[in-house]
Amino acid sequence: MLDDKVTMPLSHSAIKSFEQCPQRFYQEKVLKKFPYVQTPQAERGDIIHKEFEFYITEGRPLTLPDPTNDKLGLAKPYEKWISAIASRPGDKFAEVKMAIDWEGKKVGYFKGKNIWIRGQFDLMVQIGDKALMFDYKTGKSKYADTGQLELMALLAFIHYPTVNEIHSALIFVEEDKVIKSSYSRDKMAEYKEKWLTRSIPIVQALTTRKFPMKQSGLCAFCPCIDCPYYTGD
């Protein structure tokens, strides 16, 4: 088992951040030099997620602005998606936080020992040994990454041992677009090996404290302005 002194809880976004640039990951995630500042777009996304959660779990009507007129009301573009999901039969679980350790065992999300990876799905509907898993997106589908769905499926198989099949979807609510993917319990070893392979380099970097810079098209938007690859204003 890995020592929690030389690792840190990972997530889909953390792994992607490290792969994009280890040095930026180090300054943002390890040294925490750049406190998170929520953008208006991210704030709006959080509001939409919370509204969807309450619609599903408590039956509250949506009070979101309709993006076509920016006035509070029926928010029909959103209601189309969430009402269709809410009407599905089955046990519904909303905004569930999950975590596993380096042995692949379920642990507490915040205080679990030797946490390897954490994640949270927006909604899962379980019917027998099958489940539908949804992740709502308010951004552009151009940047869709189904790897997030695979990782959430892996975590869900561990947290929900009676689920054997998961049919997942990224729902881009403002583009009227859905990207689907399916996962099965009998492929868990394959999923786990893939995410271990992507996680181990982070542990190695944390152990050696070597986080190389990596040049890419994202350098212009990086907060590490003292990096020689920085191309922003």
Side-chain angles (χ1 to χ4, degrees):
M1 180 181 290
L2 291 169
D3 188 335
D4 57 9
K5 293 180 180 178
V6 295
T7 187
M8 59 187 288
L10 301 179
S11 64
H12 176 259
S13 61
I15 291 171
K16 285 193 66 175
S17 174
F18 179 85
E19 292 172 343
Q20 289 168 352
C21 179
Q23 180 58 214
R24 177 173 180 173
F25 171 89
Y26 179 60
Q27 296 202 35
E28 283 189 326
K29 308 292 187 183
V30 181
L31 298 182
K32 302 186 184 300
K33 289 180 62 176
F34 310 107
Y36 174 70
V37 177
Q38 189 176 51
T39 64
Q41 293 83 358
E43 181 180 14
R44 183 165 168 273
D46 284 350
I47 292 172
I48 289 173
H49 275 73
K50 187 59 67 175
E51 288 267 340
F52 282 9
E53 178 186 358
F54 288 145
Y55 186 101
I56 290 287
T57 60
E58 300 179 12
R60 293 190 197 178
L62 295 179
T63 57
L64 293 163
D66 185 326
T68 62
N69 59 30
D70 202 33
K71 294 180 180 178
L72 290 178
L74 294 178
K76 289 183 180 179
Y78 306 117
E79 193 169 43
K80 167 190 172 181
W81 288 112
I82 201 64
S83 61
I85 294 171
S87 65
R88 288 183 174 273
D91 297 322
K92 298 178 177 67
F93 308 92
E95 302 294 338
V96 174
K97 293 178 170 61
M98 304 174 290
I100 59 175
D101 65 15
W102 287 92
E103 294 183 343
K105 296 179 180 178
K106 174 182 174 180
V107 293
Y109 186 89
F110 294 108
K111 296 183 179 181
K113 187 176 181 181
N114 284 315
I115 295 174
W116 163 26
I117 205 158
R118 300 192 290 206
Q120 176 176 327
F121 57 72
D122 291 337
L123 178 69
M124 188 173 81
V125 182
Q126 182 178 355
I127 308 172
D129 70 341
K130 297 178 176 61
L132 304 173
M133 185 179 289
F134 303 97
D135 193 274
Y136 320 125
K137 298 294 184 184
T138 53
K140 303 293 184 182
S141 61
K142 176 181 178 181
Y143 306 107
D145 182 358
T146 57
Q148 178 185 0
L149 297 179
E150 182 183 82
L151 179 57
M152 293 307 102
L154 171 62
L155 294 174
F157 283 134
I158 294 170
H159 280 251
Y160 296 86
T162 61
V163 173
N164 292 321
E165 290 182 25
I166 295 178
H167 302 282
S168 303
L170 296 173
I171 300 178
F172 292 86
V173 295
E174 294 179 2
E175 290 188 0
D176 199 24
K177 185 172 183 178
V178 179
I179 297 177
K180 300 178 180 180
S181 192
S182 295
Y183 307 95
S184 61
R185 179 173 290 278
D186 59 9
K187 292 185 178 180
M188 278 182 64
E190 175 185 327
Y191 308 147
K192 183 179 178 183
E193 181 62 27
K194 182 186 296 186
W195 289 98
L196 276 172
T197 299
R198 294 179 68 176
S199 301
I200 290 299
I202 302 178
V203 177
Q204 293 170 334
L206 289 166
T207 303
T208 62
R209 281 299 191 262
K210 293 181 179 179
F211 296 85
M213 302 170 189
K214 185 176 180 180
Q215 189 172 17
S216 74
L218 298 173
C219 290
F221 310 100
C222 181
C224 307
I225 60 175
D226 56 345
C227 174
Y229 296 140
Y230 177 71
T231 58
D233 297 331

